[in-house]
Amino acid sequence: MTEQVVVLGAGYAGAGAIPELENELSDAQVTWISDTDYHLVLHESHRVIRDPSVKDHVTIPVEEIKSPATRFIEGEVTDLDTDDRVVSLADGTAIDYDYVLVALGSSTAYYGIPGLDEHSLTLKSLDDALAIHEAVKTAARDATREEPAQVAIGGAGLSGIQAAGEVAEFRDKHNAPIEISLIEALPEIMPGQDPELQGAVKKRLLDKDVEILTDDPITEADAETIQFDEGEPLAYDVFVWTGGISGRECLENANVEKEHNRIVAESTFRTDDERVFAIGDSAIVDQGETPAPPTAQAAWQAAELVGENIARASEGRPLKTWTYEDKGTLISIGDEAVAHGIKPIPINTFGWVGAETLKKAVAARWIADVSSPKRAKRAWKHL
């Protein structure tokens, strides 16, 4: 009987794993399930905040990624029953599996802060980026030079910083009356990163007239105001929250080990259920002292091996161990970018054209790998 291998999610992990599974599993039926019929190049989705037309260049139809033999189902996963090996969808469809790869990405974590969920926008999807664009555009239209629109962005990690940069570019392009605040509970932006990188990014944010508020956690939010632990309340017109990640609700009942609803996986991507594998943001993948980071880079690397390991599992062969390799950081602040720790480049941190070109090249390479060089070429100027 043909084995059924099901992949959940069309992010970097899922989209990257599909071609690998197709190459490794000659006798299995691969079924790919996602709530969108496209893959979103998420680390470039912030560009849509400035210009919605960019969406056509940061989304890739699944039909360009998978082979005709792979079955695709567009639907929202609502449950993973690991006992009966069934994936349930919102429309009532039930999909049986022999092996399942969970690559659903993450949801936004609100840390129990009152009002945060109800009153903030997020940046996890194409629809999120489009909603931020519309909210900023509307707020700017109703503002004046005397009373500019207030855009607050909570969380000064990668997503928050890149969102702030795009709002700044929108403001400058349209000569719009907008003031931007970037909020971080910890003492520095990009917490835990090299101080040299933090400083380079901070300089560019300040050059773009982004106010940086650090070392003061948000304690509450309502429809108009953000409250802080110590500082004065901040009135806002648009509030974007990028402050943390959590697992997807549909995994709550899955009978596998989880932390904050993210599935715990070994360095082979196998979980404590031998039929369940997990990679990407939906997983906490063992890498010794600290797990693999929830980044596009890590998901991309993991996707290159997980297909082979699922094939090995189905054949009863030993699984290969994955070791994450940090290839450096690339972050855009509007049209500028900062690169840090890029091997083998001898300069530790740099910006300007070199960093901008390198960031474009990484995104273009990903698009070319999962789709085609032609699509990557068309997307280049929009990245």
Side-chain angles (χ1 to χ4, degrees), residues 46-73:
H46 58 279
R47 304 293 189 190
V48 176
I49 295 173
R50 183 194 334 183
D51 180 4
S53 69
V54 173
K55 70 181 188 295
D56 297 329
H57 302 282
V58 296
T59 53
I60 303 171
V62 297
E63 296 298 329
E64 292 186 17
I65 300 171
K66 73 177 190 68
S67 75
T70 292
R71 178 173 62 152
F72 176 76
I73 300 174

Side-chain angles (χ1 to χ4, degrees), residues 364-379:
R365 181 194 161 194
W366 169 255
I367 294 170
D369 281 356
V370 297
S371 177
S372 67
K374 183 177 180 180
R375 177 175 282 277
K377 184 178 180 180
R378 291 200 306 266

